[in-house]
Amino acid sequence: MIRYLRLYGYFLQFSFSKAFEFRIDFYFRILMDVVYYIMNLLFFKVIFLHSKYLAGWSESQVMIFVGAFIVVDALNMTVFANNSWNVAQLVNRGDLDYYLVRPVSTFFFVSLRDFAANSFVNLIMAVSILVWAFMKYPEPIGLLRTLLFGLLVLNGSLLYFLVLMLFIIPVFWTHSARGLQPLFWTTSKFMERPHAIYSRVVRWVLMTIMPFALMASVPASVLFAPNPWAITLGSLLVTVAFMSLVLFIWSLGLRNYSSASS
Amino acid sequence: MTWFNAMFAAEFKRMFSYRVDFWLQFFVSVAVELMVSYFLWEALFASTATPGVVPGHAPEIGGYTFQMMLLYVVFAAFGGRIVRGNERMIIASDIYDGGLTKYLLYPVSYLMVNFSRALAYNSVTIIQMGMGLLLLFAFYGLPPEYNFSFENMLMGTSACLVASAFYFVMYVIIDYIAFWVDTIWSLSVMFRFIAQFLSGLFIPLEMFPPAVRRAVYQTPFPYIGSEPIKMFLGRSSWSQWAHTNLTIILWTIPLFFLMQLVWRRGLKNYTGVGI
């Protein structure tokens, strides 16, 4: 475990020095995410000009949801995005060889090697927006619920990455340029709205088979729901199931991998 | 124009080379977009809606009944695709990997090569829109307050095509920035967010506060989204069609010259990686 933490420390050092080499991209990416955050906030601000509630959620509750969604997105952009986007290229070009010969878990190496330092700045902004949304919430939120919320946001971020990987790993067989990533980007739009708006069947699908609701919306609901423990336990179980599934399919993919260069 | 036809055909062929992927991506993306919007508007209309202007009529938000709002979403999904075109950052890739060099040696304009690609993409998108609308109307029918007419379709589609020329020029300018900057991906994504929001492709501009709406109408964006959609919905006249297209053309002309300027300056900076 210590070895993996130390290795991750080196990844961080390398990523920060790399980010500062491409300074303009550093600022562009920060700007892009800021625009994305503003657009999301404005979207719901406009919606709430015409209604006091959206599927039973008040504006302040939805703002916490938006904050959670933004933090999950920022966490992903910071920790996982650069890595997951590269997987298809690694497999198709045979560059995965470099990772396979390392004396550490290939999945760990491939998933966490590149830390997006520029998005880290956005993560700070995203957390600030979430704190602002919390402060604007009219009723007191208990410490326990806040901690569960924090845990579920982190869990949602991991789940987001795992589901994305499920769409990317087929590249071992299809050898397409990006795997099924475009389909993931399309379906992930379900995550951008509170799950309360969906019908019961769709909501069930979004909490189990395609758990986009568990990434931001359900974590936000843990602050207001009558039974936060059931939600927390359910969310964690789904993540464990998805983690097992991804690792299993990843190992199948590795068995199917033939280095392009050899 | 043989080369133009050839490029057009090549792009057409490229798009259909992964047929399953192509159609799956199209249908899934449209289906998800419409589903998410359907549930959002259903929830919003259920939460609150002002009574109709005429007593006894269906409740409205921003001047749209629930049925008309869904139709707005449908036309925003299809019209938006025509306007946005392929958004593949091909030019930036050509600059980064040196692929531009071969086009510089060809006796055709690089811009026209890309324009023919964009036109091919738009042709397929229009075919997709026709099929999508046919399927949706066949399964769900039309709202009683909507009068379908081919005239409206013609107005909307032509306005979308004119708008796509504006969007193409904007996108090419952003792509040309690749002559100076290592990656322009974030810049183009940022432009797409802003354009989609301010053009009313996410929410009808009628839902914005009046002062904000007036400010947004000082930009070209409403004319590439909201206005063409209104044409599809039968809420525009031919004079409004002319005004929309003229406004977009007036925005496009100076941007076109800016694009040419950026191209000339950028070429001086081009190193032709891989030569």
Side-chain angles (χ1 to χ4, degrees):
Chain A
M1 186 67 183
I2 302 266
R3 189 166 65 121
Y4 278 91
L5 282 175
R6 199 184 307 145
L7 184 61
Y8 196 64
Y10 290 127
F11 290 166
L12 290 183
Q13 277 178 23
F14 176 71
S15 300
F16 271 98
S17 54
K18 199 175 79 175
F20 282 105
E21 272 178 37
F22 303 103
R23 276 192 195 177
I24 297 180
D25 179 51
F26 183 86
Y27 297 120
F28 275 170
R29 198 148 154 179
I30 290 171
L31 203 62
M32 175 194 76
D33 280 346
V34 170
V35 168
Y36 181 60
Y37 302 158
I38 294 171
M39 292 298 151
N40 272 292
L41 289 170
L42 286 180
F43 179 88
F44 285 104
K45 280 279 174 198
V46 173
I47 292 283
F48 278 101
L49 286 176
H50 300 267
S51 174
K52 281 190 173 168
Y53 294 96
L54 180 66
W57 287 44
S58 66
E59 183 176 351
S60 44
Q61 288 173 331
V62 168
M63 285 301 147
I64 290 181
F65 155 72
V66 176
F69 161 63
I70 284 171
V71 169
V72 169
D73 177 72
L75 266 171
N76 254 285
M77 291 295 282
T78 309
V79 182
F80 301 116
N82 284 357
N83 302 291
S84 48
W85 295 343
N86 263 339
V87 172
Q89 208 176 353
L90 294 177
V91 173
N92 290 333
R93 287 190 183 175
D95 294 342
L96 199 62
D97 297 2
Y98 168 79
Y99 295 82
L100 287 170
V101 294
R102 305 286 142 181
V104 285
S105 153
T106 312
F107 189 74
F108 170 84
F109 208 170
V110 167
S111 311
L112 296 171
R113 188 186 179 204
D114 195 351
F115 179 91
N118 35 12
S119 291
F120 182 67
V121 179
N122 294 329
L123 180 58
I124 296 169
M125 277 189 283
V127 172
S128 309
I129 291 171
L130 182 59
V131 171
W132 164 80
F134 258 80
M135 286 168 70
K136 281 200 72 177
Y137 192 69
E139 288 161 34
I141 300 171
L143 179 66
L144 183 67
R145 280 181 189 264
T146 308
L147 289 175
L148 288 180
F149 168 76
L151 174 71
L152 286 189
V153 166
L154 291 176
N155 177 68
S157 207
L158 176 63
L159 198 52
Y160 182 94
F161 165 70
L162 292 172
V163 177
L164 172 60
M165 285 304 282
L166 275 183
F167 282 80
I168 293 174
I169 295 174
V171 79
F172 279 108
W173 293 273
T174 62
H175 297 289
S176 56
R178 290 191 293 171
L180 301 173
Q181 273 188 83
L183 273 184
F184 173 82
W185 303 125
T186 300
T187 45
S188 67
K189 287 195 191 315
F190 283 110
M191 170 195 176
E192 296 173 8
R193 308 284 177 257
H195 69 290
I197 67 166
Y198 300 112
S199 68
R200 192 182 282 187
V201 176
V202 176
R203 215 157 45 212
W204 180 82
V205 171
L206 294 177
M207 290 166 87
T208 51
I209 303 164
M210 292 168 70
F212 290 109
L214 299 184
M215 294 168 191
S217 183
V218 169
S221 75
V222 89
L223 296 167
F224 330 111
N227 188 358
W229 291 107
I231 296 171
T232 308
L233 190 67
S235 300
L236 295 177
L237 280 176
V238 170
T239 305
V240 170
F242 267 80
M243 177 65 111
S244 314
L245 183 66
V246 168
L247 289 176
F248 174 67
I249 301 178
W250 175 260
S251 66
L252 288 182
L254 283 184
R255 257 182 255 167
N256 202 57
Y257 172 69
S258 53
S259 165
S261 53
S262 59
Chain B
M1 294 297 273
T2 323
W3 66 266
F4 189 90
N5 296 337
M7 288 306 302
F8 190 94
E11 182 65 8
F12 223 85
K13 214 179 270 179
R14 189 199 63 76
M15 289 169 74
F16 285 99
S17 51
Y18 297 101
R19 252 168 290 176
V20 177
D21 189 47
F22 178 77
W23 288 106
L24 190 73
Q25 175 60 24
F26 166 71
F27 280 113
V28 172
S29 67
V30 170
V32 170
E33 206 173 320
L34 297 185
M35 241 174 115
V36 173
S37 299
Y38 172 84
F39 285 117
L40 175 79
W41 294 115
E42 189 190 44
L44 192 65
F45 271 85
S47 297
T48 185
T50 55
V53 179
V54 182
H57 276 213
E60 295 175 357
I61 293 177
Y64 292 90
T65 61
F66 178 53
Q67 298 287 329
M68 285 304 279
M69 187 64 87
L70 292 184
L71 206 57
Y72 183 98
V73 170
V74 168
F75 284 119
F78 290 119
R81 277 173 173 74
I82 299 174
V83 174
R84 294 200 310 271
N86 50 6
E87 286 183 328
R88 278 171 49 221
M89 293 191 294
I90 305 170
I91 299 174
S93 308
D94 282 342
I95 294 168
Y96 290 136
D97 61 23
L100 175 64
T101 311
K102 67 173 183 282
Y103 292 103
L104 295 176
L105 301 172
Y106 291 166
V108 289
S109 152
Y110 179 61
L111 183 71
M112 289 308 286
V113 167
N114 282 293
F115 188 64
S116 61
R117 282 173 175 163
L119 269 186
Y121 190 91
N122 277 346
S123 312
V124 176
T125 313
I126 291 170
I127 295 169
Q128 286 177 329
M129 180 174 88
M131 290 170 62
L133 287 179
L134 212 66
L135 275 172
L136 279 170
F137 292 166
F139 277 105
Y140 297 104
L142 288 166
E145 62 263 52
Y146 177 62
N147 292 318
F148 176 86
S149 85
F150 284 104
E151 189 187 358
N152 294 338
M153 294 298 115
L154 182 69
M155 279 166 82
T157 309
S158 56
C160 281
L161 282 172
V162 174
S164 78
F166 165 83
Y167 204 90
F168 172 78
V169 170
M170 277 301 298
Y171 228 81
V172 170
I173 293 173
I174 293 171
D175 266 13
Y176 283 169
I177 294 173
F179 280 119
W180 294 275
V181 178
D182 292 305
T183 162
I184 51 106
W185 165 78
S186 33
L187 204 59
S188 64
V189 173
M190 190 162 55
F191 169 69
R192 190 174 42 187
F193 288 152
I194 295 170
Q196 285 185 291
F197 190 76
L198 296 183
S199 62
L201 289 175
F202 289 157
I203 320 176
L205 294 180
E206 286 82 356
M207 289 181 68
F208 284 35
V212 177
R213 196 163 62 233
R214 275 195 298 276
V216 172
Y217 265 89
Q218 301 306 311
T219 72
F221 297 116
Y223 303 97
I224 65 169
S226 183
E227 291 302 314
I229 296 168
K230 279 193 220 161
M231 291 169 198
F232 283 121
L233 293 176
R235 293 185 172 193
S236 267
S237 61
W238 279 106
S239 65
Q240 281 165 309
W241 173 85
H243 176 252
T244 298
N245 288 336
L246 189 67
T247 309
I248 277 302
I249 290 167
L250 287 177
W251 273 98
T252 309
I253 290 170
L255 284 172
F256 179 81
F257 287 112
L258 176 67
M259 178 183 73
Q260 295 292 69
L261 182 72
V262 177
W263 167 252
R264 280 195 297 273
R265 294 267 171 92
L267 268 188
K268 287 180 190 163
N269 225 40
Y270 179 60
T271 53
V273 177
I275 298 175

